[in-house]
Amino acid sequence: MRRSTTTRQGGTHVSTHLTRRLLQLYVGLTLYGVSSALLVRSGLGLEPWGVLHQGIAERTGLTIGVVSIIVGALVLLLWIPIRQRPGLGTVSNVFAIGIAMDSTLALVPDVHGFAVRIPLLVGGILLNGVATGLYISARFGPGPRDGLMTGLHRLTGRSIRLVRTSIEVAVVATGFLLGGSLGVGTVAYALAIGPLAQFFLRVFAVPGPERTAAPEPAPAVAAEPVTGAAPAQAILRG
């Protein structure tokens, strides 16, 4: 009887743990899309990949959210030759952020005047840090773009800092040439997102499932993948 009760309790703890991780993943990805939309509405500059997405959207007539989905899917295809393995968070990242972004842009109108644009910029950057901490701490795999960086780092032996900088310079330059928004917001984002994400990674860290002491060994539970956490920490450390 004692062993049966312990097993049920252990199963409940694991289920609660998984539920929290899934909630963090999808809330985080949704808020990431919302934050990106706020940066667009601020009109003061976007994050590096956002510059590219906006530039392509300007040239194609597609919404920026749809472009984000398409680019994410194409980047994910690049994982094949570098032998990166996607997780649930990786695939969800491709779709959830773009959908949330377009939905937010449909609700938030264009604004004028720095009295509104600056708070939108600051709010977007802060919310992006919160979102990053939430979805990375869920540990369901890195996003397509982060996985590309860590995969190239592994294959080339170059530092994360160099790989990330090289990719993002190319992305920003291409996006700017296509008409993407590059400005003070881009610089502010680059300076603030590392410290913000590192802080919120600690705030939203998900502890392992609690273990209930028992006189008899409890059934073994397979360890869940944590591929999203280690690469993310490395990226944020630069």
Side-chain angles (χ1 to χ4, degrees):
M1 177 65 72
R2 180 179 296 176
R3 180 171 183 175
S4 176
T5 301
T6 300
T7 301
R8 287 198 299 272
Q9 290 174 340
T12 300
H13 288 314
V14 171
S15 176
T16 301
H17 178 254
L18 179 60
T19 300
R20 174 180 169 178
R21 290 175 59 208
L22 286 169
L23 185 63
Q24 281 198 199
L25 171 66
Y26 289 107
V27 170
L29 292 176
T30 299
L31 291 181
Y32 197 103
V34 172
S35 70
S36 295
L38 294 182
L39 293 178
V40 171
R41 286 294 184 241
S42 77
L44 295 173
L46 303 178
E47 74 277 19
W49 285 92
V51 177
L52 176 63
H53 298 156
Q54 189 180 53
I56 295 174
E58 291 287 337
R59 295 287 181 168
T60 62
L62 298 172
T63 66
I64 192 170
V66 169
V67 171
S68 173
I69 292 172
I70 293 172
V71 171
L74 292 175
V75 172
L76 192 54
L77 290 177
L78 296 177
W79 283 33
I80 297 174
I82 62 177
R83 298 184 179 181
Q84 287 280 92
R85 292 191 301 174
L88 174 64
T90 310
V91 178
S92 298
N93 183 296
V94 172
F95 298 98
I97 292 176
I99 293 171
M101 193 174 184
D102 275 350
S103 299
T104 304
L105 288 171
L107 295 174
V108 179
D110 287 322
V111 297
H112 304 282
F114 287 107
V116 180
R117 295 168 67 189
I118 291 176
L120 278 180
L121 172 65
V122 173
I125 293 173
L126 287 173
L127 189 59
N128 195 278
V130 172
T132 300
L134 277 168
Y135 89 81
I136 289 180
S137 294
R139 295 182 289 118
F140 278 109
R145 298 156 186 83
D146 288 343
L148 175 64
M149 295 176 199
T150 55
L152 291 175
H153 157 69
R154 176 175 50 82
L155 283 181
T156 64
R158 303 295 184 182
S159 70
I160 284 287
R161 184 186 302 276
L162 177 61
V163 173
R164 176 175 182 169
T165 300
S166 299
I167 292 176
E168 293 193 349
V169 166
V171 164
V172 168
T174 303
F176 179 70
L177 291 174
L178 291 174
S181 177
L182 181 64
V184 65
T186 309
V187 177
Y189 180 91
L191 294 174
I193 192 59
L196 283 173
Q198 197 80 306
F199 172 76
F200 286 111
L201 278 168
R202 292 194 295 269
V203 171
F204 298 117
V206 180
E210 297 178 14
R211 299 184 182 277
T212 304
E216 300 179 50
V221 179
E224 298 183 51
V226 295
T227 54
Q233 295 287 0
I235 290 168
L236 293 173
R237 285 194 302 268

